Every structure is written in structure tokens, then in C-alpha cells.
Amino acid sequence: MKYPVIFFASALTLLAQTPPVAAPPAAPAPAPAAAAATPVPAEQPNFSGYIDLGYRWETGVYGSNSTYRSIVDLGSGPKLLGTEFTILNPNKRFFDRFDVRAADWGDDPYSTFHIDIRKARLYNFSGDYRNIAYYSNLPAFADPLLSSGIVLNEQALDTRKKLSNWRLDLLPNHRIMPYLEYEHNADNGTGIATFVANANEYPVNNLTRNSTENYRGGVRIELSWFHARLEQGGTTFKDDQQLNSGAPGVNYGNFYSPILGQTLDLTSLSEAYGVRGHSIYTDASFSANPVSWADLYGTFLYSEPVSNVNFRGLDTGSQVLLSEVLFYTGEQNIISSIAKMPHTSANLGAEIRPFRRVRLIPSWVTDRMHSTGSSIGQQTLTTAGGAVPIASLLNSTLVENLNQAEMNVFVDVARNLTLRGGYRYVWGNASDAILPIAELAGYEQGKIRRNVVIAGVSWHPIQNAWLNFDFENGASGSTYFRTSLYNYQKARVRGRYQISSSFSVSASANILNNQNPSPGVKYDFLSHQESGSILYSPGGGKIWDFEGSYTRSTLRSDISYLDPEFLITDRSFYRDNSHTLSAMFDFNMPGWLGYKTKLALGGSAFLSSGSNPTTFYQPAAKLSVALNKHVSWQSEWRYYGFNEAFYLYQGFRTEMVTTGVRITR
């Protein structure tokens, strides 16, 4: 705990420094009457903004560094904590305004950059860039060997994601506005994945790399009663993944029991696949106000993605082909496939006002996807009797049609009371076929039928208070997935009361209750959450203010499933009861010894019980001292404490101190 002491000691030392006393300025000469103050504000300077520069110390992680990196992942070193500035061009030759924002640079896990360049009625150019370090390696997650005392996350990732978006809008504020846009998303890194070989799964090293490019252009049309957007675009996608066994040795996988007297293992592996895809799409939308009592809107999207996959794998060890009860010591796989997936979606809606207090909002949505694919493969097994070649040729189809129709009626019963009633019907069908029929399912089909009743209330009992209530009750005859909404009730209530200009309270509650009684599923799910918050700012926060919140959440899930190892029905039951608290006091301290000082104290806490009891504490303190008009010194101390009762080895604690300066112009 030495860093908080250093932090506050340095703060007191700085505050104790007496600024030099300047000689009193001469009394100004009286201004002439003609130079009276004018109500016209001074012009904005050509350059304005701030930059936050600092250094962060991390005291060391006590406990699981993997858990710390999966949740927090902040490190020591110099940082660009944030910056924001604006440049105004006085001659307005190439641009009128240039805005830049950036935050959290210096090897932080989430760094951002944004730029805006504008010239009135000629163009707007904007760009976004995000650099994300994604690390996920909770030791006890995805570990079927945990009961045997082996701690290994078999789905770990350590990747770097880079996302960028650049857009140019031409002729802004005109009736016809063309635009161009480009998006680039890339991800590469390492991790752990499983090599699946019939009766066993083997954790191995994983190398991933993928990227997506999106190019689009279009035109927006803005008329007095009609608005439309027409867009044409295309995407390209590539995904490469490599699996290898890593260091030499025998990998026994997740299944130790012998099969027909023989233990399975993996001694070497080299596996890679590459996916290449592209798509052309057309997107159109409109909104219109043809008459004073009705508004119309709609969208349409069509795309036809095409993807090609090439796979090559080579492995050795003691393996078995269960369908043939054939043991082999080596395997080579070469597979090539192609798939096409035309996809059409559209929606149409309106707001109709037949009477002054009545609004009708009908809507219709459809989504249709038809996919066809084929693959050709050659598998060669090395057995005691020699090489066994196995050729494969598969053709598959997937058809999905989903539709939704909804009608909502809003009635203003009184000036401060609005009632809502509605009905939603969802229907669709899906089917897939794989030929020839082998170990894979040959033909499956499903339907979805759901009826939903909707209700709601919006009430303003007094001027500074409001209350909203929404409710849905759904009943299904069938659905696609075991955990989809089936027979459910969903409700949400929200309210806020502005007690005075300096004191407000708000609260909300929501609940979702879902059951699927189908044989073999028997899914029972319940989730509800209640929260409340207060904001107290006496005197407009001139001296101090307080903001706090509390949330209680409950989740329970109970479902039957088929154990893949023994092919028997088992039960999955999970429950969680959690409490989340946050509070922050902000003090605007008087100008002590000539400095304007702000102090913030507070933090947050999460406590849960149930299937995985967890606690997570984050107290914090922040001090800001304005040294002069353009420079302020800022420091922050933060503590992280994470603990899981059933997985003590996943807990961690650490402290962080960040200090730096803000330079403002």
C-alpha cells in the first residue's frame, strides 16, 4: 500500500508550494464610453484543445496473471491518456474545421483515434481507428480435465484486433448527397484450440489471422417530404488458421479410457485451413410523409456471399475411426469446398394518425437465406495393413425463411398518460440437407411459430417525474433452437424523479421468464434485475456532488442435454445472484494557496453467489490540481481485487497509480 501514501504525500507537497507573488498591476485607465462591453462573444481561437500525458505504475499482480489480463490487462509505462483539439482555418481555403480525438495510447488494451475534417456545403470527412488487445485465458474455462487436476483453458486467445472506418460525404446539407465509405477489420494472434479426432479432443497451439474489407458508396436524397438512401457495396474476407502440436511429446487429449484395449494419443500435428470470401450487396431505404397524418418507412438489402475453403492436415499417433472400428497411426487430409448464400431481407412500416390521440404503427419484416455448398476431400489413413484411402464428396443445402408482422396502437388517454397495446406474429421454416448420408445428419427441418401480446404505459404524474412500463407475453408452437424464446413473459419498468434542481433519483426493473417444455429439452430460464441510482449536486456542484447506484441481478438456467461422451441425458443447472454497487464523491475544493483543486473518492464492487461465487472490488481516488490557466496536474490511484470461491487460483489483486499533466490551450 505504499503507492497511495506516495500519491497523497506528493499531492500535499504540491499544494503546499506557495506560488510567487507578482507585483500589483497598475490601475487601468478608464475606458471611453464608446468602448462599452458588447454582448457579442469573442471569436473561437484558431487552435484549442488539450492533451493528457502521464505515466502508470502497476504494483505487480498477486495471484493469477492470466485472469488479470483477461479482465483488466493494464500495464506500466508512459501513456497518452487522452487528447482533443480543434483547428479552425481562417482563410477556409481547403477546410473550415479540423477535429481530432484520441485516448489510451501507450500499449493499452483499447486505444482509439477519431478525426473530422469539414468544409461547409462541400464535404465532411471522418475517420475512426481502434486498436484492441483481446486476451482470454481464464484457467478454469473450457477445461474438461479440471476434475483430474489439470488446469488448461483449451479455448484461449491472445490476439490484436484493428478496426478502422473512413467516410467521405459530399455536398452536405444539399438535397442530393453522395458518399463513399471504407471499413477494414483485422485480427491476428495465438492461442489454444482443440484438434478433434473421432473419439477424442487434443489441446494444441493455435495461430489465427483474419481480415474483412468493406467498400460501399451511395447517395442520400433529402426532400421536404421524402428521404431515401441508395447504396452499393462489396466485401472481401479471408481467414487463416494453423494448428500444431508444439513441443515434441505425447498428447493424450481429454479421454484417457482405453477403447477396445488401446489408449488414444497424438504425437504430431500440422493442420491449416484458409477461407476466402467475397460478396456484392445492394442496400436501399426510404422514409416519407405523403400526408399530414401518416409516415412511411422501409429498407431492402440483398447480398450474395461466396466462400472457398481449402484444408490440409497431417497428424500421427494412435487414433481410431469409430464408424469402421479401424485403428490407425497416421492421417492425411485434403479438402476443398465452395459455398454460395444469397440473402434477402426487407422491412416495411408506417405511423398512421387517424385521430389526434391515436397512433397506429404496423410493421413487417422478412429475412430469407438460401445456401448451397459442395466439398471434395481425400483422406488417407496409415494402418498396420498399409495405407487406406477414403474419398468423400458432399453436397449441402440450407434454407431459412423468417417473417414477422407487428401492430402497435398508442392512445394518449390524457396529456400525461399514454397506453400501448400490440400484437406480434413470428413464423418461418428452416431445413438443411447433406448428401450422401453418412455420419452427419442427412436431413433436418424446423419451424418457428410464435404469438406475442404487447402492452405498455407511459405516465408523467407530475412535471418532473415519469414512469414507463412495457410487457410482452409470447407463446410458441415450435422454434429453431433449444434455448430460443418459447413460452415467455418479459417486462420492464423504468422511472425517474427530479426532486429538485440538485437532486434526482431513478430506478428500473426487468424480468424474463422463459420455458420450453418439449421432451428432451425441458428448458427453464429466469432472469430479473432491479437497479436504482441517485444524483445529488447541491448548489449545482460548486462544492461537492455525489452519484451512486445499486443493482441486484438474479439468473437461473435449467436444461436437459445429451452427454457427448456417454450419450445419455444429463442436466445442466446454473444460478447466479449478484449485487453491484458504485459510488463517487466529487469535491471542488477551495483555491488552497492559490490552486484550484478537485478530489474524487469512490469506486465499485461486485458480489455474487450461486454456481460461481465471485467478488470484484475497484476502489479509486483521483486528484486534479490546476497549476495555472493552461496546465493542471492529475493523479489517480485504483485497486483491483478479484476472487472466486470455487476457483481460488483464478483470483488476483493489484494496485495502479497514474500521474500526469493536462495541457490546455
Side-chain angles (χ1 to χ4, degrees), residues 2 26 34 52 63 89 107 258 302 331 393 397 404 427 451 476 495 509 580 588 595 626:
K2 64 180 180 179
D52 290 338
N89 187 2
D107 200 33
Y302 176 79
E331 176 187 22
L393 178 63
T397 61
Q404 174 180 301
W427 74 100
N451 295 274
S476 302
T580 305
N588 291 317
Y595 294 106

Side-chain angles (χ1 to χ4, degrees), residues 343-540:
H343 187 188
T344 303
S345 61
N347 72 76
L348 187 64
E351 178 178 322
I352 304 171
R353 300 172 290 276
F355 308 103
R356 185 171 62 90
R357 294 179 177 268
V358 178
R359 288 176 292 150
L360 308 178
I361 303 181
S363 64
W364 168 78
V365 178
T366 185
D367 187 89
R368 301 175 181 274
M369 180 181 67
H370 296 190
S371 175
T372 60
S374 62
S375 71
I376 181 171
Q378 179 67 48
Q379 182 183 26
T380 303
L381 305 180
T382 303
T383 68
V388 178
I390 303 175
S392 63
L393 178 63
L394 294 177
N395 291 280
S396 65
T397 61
L398 172 64
V399 177
E400 184 264 350
N401 300 303
L402 183 65
N403 304 277
Q404 174 180 301
E406 183 172 337
M407 170 63 80
N408 284 279
V409 180
F410 292 82
V411 180
D412 297 327
V413 178
R415 187 183 62 172
N416 60 349
L417 179 63
T418 301
L419 302 181
R420 174 194 179 194
Y423 171 75
R424 180 189 307 136
Y425 181 57
V426 182
W427 74 100
N429 64 281
S431 63
D432 68 82
I434 300 175
L435 297 173
I437 299 176
E439 296 179 5
L440 303 175
Y443 180 75
E444 292 180 311
Q445 60 179 345
K447 294 182 179 180
I448 182 171
R449 299 289 186 272
R450 182 181 300 138
N451 295 274
V452 183
V453 176
I454 305 169
V457 177
S458 180
W459 183 36
H460 293 261
I462 57 179
Q463 182 178 1
N464 296 327
W466 59 266
L467 181 70
N468 279 355
F469 173 74
D470 296 293
F471 175 78
E472 289 186 12
N473 183 77
S476 302
S478 58
T479 190
Y480 294 154
F481 306 106
R482 294 160 50 88
T483 56
S484 296
L485 292 177
Y486 201 85
N487 297 331
Y488 74 95
Q489 298 80 40
K490 181 166 63 174
R492 180 177 65 173
V493 58
R494 296 170 297 163
R496 187 173 184 271
Y497 181 30
Q498 186 75 36
I499 300 175
S500 67
S501 60
S502 60
F503 189 28
S504 65
V505 297
S506 61
S508 65
N510 59 72
I511 184 171
L512 172 61
N513 183 36
N514 183 37
Q515 286 88 32
N516 186 343
S518 303
V521 180
K522 297 181 180 179
Y523 182 44
D524 183 12
F525 179 87
L526 175 65
S527 171
H528 62 85
Q529 176 178 293
E530 301 81 35
S531 64
S533 64
I534 64 173
L535 175 61
Y536 185 44
S537 180

Side-chain angles (χ1 to χ4, degrees), residues 72 606 614-619 639-643 651-654:
V72 182
F606 172 84
T614 303
T615 59
F616 190 22
Y617 299 100
Q618 296 184 66
Y639 174 86
Y640 297 90
F642 179 85
N643 181 67
F652 69 86
R653 60 185 176 88
T654 189

Side-chain angles (χ1 to χ4, degrees), residues 193-195 204-207 241-245 269-272:
T194 55
F195 167 67
V204 294
N205 295 329
N206 182 22
L207 177 64
Q241 183 172 353
Q242 298 178 14
L243 300 180
N244 61 79
S245 55
L269 171 69
S270 177
E271 183 178 274

Side-chain angles (χ1 to χ4, degrees), residues 92-358:
K92 302 182 182 298
R93 184 175 180 183
F94 298 107
F95 67 92
D96 298 335
R97 184 184 181 102
F98 193 136
D99 294 292
V100 173
R101 296 194 308 272
D104 301 317
W105 286 90
D107 200 33
D108 271 9
Y110 189 84
S111 305
T112 63
F113 175 80
H114 179 82
I115 185 174
D116 275 309
I117 307 175
R118 305 175 185 176
K119 184 166 179 59
R121 300 185 61 82
L122 184 60
Y123 72 85
N124 288 339
F125 177 78
S126 63
D128 274 292
Y129 176 78
R130 287 170 287 168
N131 193 326
I132 304 172
Y134 179 73
Y135 184 90
S136 177
N137 190 13
L138 294 176
F141 180 76
D143 185 7
L145 301 176
L146 188 61
S147 59
S148 304
I150 299 177
V151 179
L152 177 65
N153 184 335
E154 298 186 3
Q155 298 294 328
L157 281 174
D158 185 4
T159 65
R160 177 68 68 169
K161 300 177 181 291
K162 298 180 180 180
L163 305 91
S164 60
N165 177 272
W166 311 96
R167 180 180 175 111
L168 175 64
D169 289 274
L170 300 174
L171 305 178
N173 300 320
H174 287 70
R175 292 189 175 184
I176 299 179
M177 294 169 282
Y179 66 89
L180 298 170
E181 190 166 357
Y182 167 70
E183 297 176 47
H184 172 77
N185 300 330
D187 184 356
N188 66 85
T190 60
I192 299 174
T194 55
F195 167 67
V196 181
N198 289 289
N200 207 343
E201 294 183 355
Y202 304 89
V204 294
N205 295 329
N206 182 22
L207 177 64
T208 65
R209 182 171 58 214
N210 62 72
S211 65
T212 302
E213 316 282 343
N214 185 11
Y215 312 84
R216 56 182 177 178
V219 60
R220 290 188 297 138
I221 303 172
E222 302 285 344
L223 304 179
S224 59
W225 63 274
F226 180 79
H227 310 273
R229 177 178 57 85
L230 302 175
E231 181 176 282
Q232 184 69 41
T235 63
T236 60
F237 171 77
K238 63 179 180 180
D239 181 13
D240 297 306
Q241 183 172 353
Q242 298 178 14
L243 300 180
N244 61 79
S245 55
V250 179
N251 187 338
Y252 292 100
N254 298 330
F255 187 70
Y256 290 125
S257 302
I259 294 181
L260 299 178
Q262 186 164 329
T263 302
L264 304 180
D265 63 62
L266 178 71
T267 57
S268 69
L269 171 69
S270 177
E271 183 178 274
Y273 75 75
V275 182
R276 298 295 182 269
H278 65 272
S279 173
I280 300 295
Y281 62 89
T282 301
D283 187 7
S285 64
F286 80 95
S287 63
N289 177 227
V291 291
S292 61
W293 48 268
D295 296 318
L296 305 175
Y297 68 88
T299 63
F300 172 82
L301 174 64
Y302 176 79
S303 63
E304 188 172 357
V306 177
S307 61
N308 295 271
V309 181
N310 290 287
F311 173 86
R312 181 181 295 271
L314 180 65
D315 62 271
T316 61
S318 179
Q319 305 293 333
V320 61
L321 185 62
L322 290 176
S323 60
E324 306 291 337
V325 194
L326 176 65
F327 287 92
Y328 58 93
T329 58
E331 176 187 22
Q332 182 179 17
N333 260 314
I334 301 175
I335 302 174
S336 179
S337 66
I338 185 172
K340 296 182 179 181
M341 189 179 66
H343 187 188
T344 303
S345 61
N347 72 76
L348 187 64
E351 178 178 322
I352 304 171
R353 300 172 290 276
F355 308 103
R356 185 171 62 90
R357 294 179 177 268
V358 178

